[in-house]
Amino acid sequence: MTDQPIELQCTLTCPECGHRETETMPTETCQWFYECRSCGIVLKPQPGDCCVFCSYATVPCPPVQRGGGCCG
């Protein structure tokens, strides 16, 4: 576990259209789906990642930031 502050704000980048959106991550759960507000594609985690934030955001989800590993 880490004593570093947990970042809740991140920027998700759509791999389909490149649209970037700032979001607030949930603190205790993973988010498995996210719909791009620009092109409408539904993002899913890449293989080996627990959630869309770990796959497409500027920082991983809070459970991973805490060093506790995947929350899924």
Side-chain angles (χ1 to χ4, degrees):
M1 298 288 206
T2 181
D3 290 333
Q4 297 289 344
I6 302 300
E7 266 188 78
L8 296 179
Q9 293 290 312
C10 68
T11 301
L12 278 162
T13 302
C14 176
E16 186 72 21
C17 72
H19 178 76
R20 296 172 59 99
E21 190 76 37
T22 299
E23 296 288 348
T24 301
M25 295 183 279
T27 58
E28 298 298 326
T29 62
C30 288
Q31 186 168 328
W32 292 287
F33 303 103
Y34 179 85
E35 184 175 346
C36 175
R37 293 187 180 141
S38 178
C39 71
I41 191 172
V42 176
L43 304 179
K44 299 173 193 160
Q46 294 179 347
D49 286 339
C50 62
C51 67
V52 293
F53 296 110
C54 288
S55 292
Y56 305 106
T58 51
V59 294
C61 67
V64 171
Q65 289 182 55
R66 282 189 209 96
C70 176
C71 52

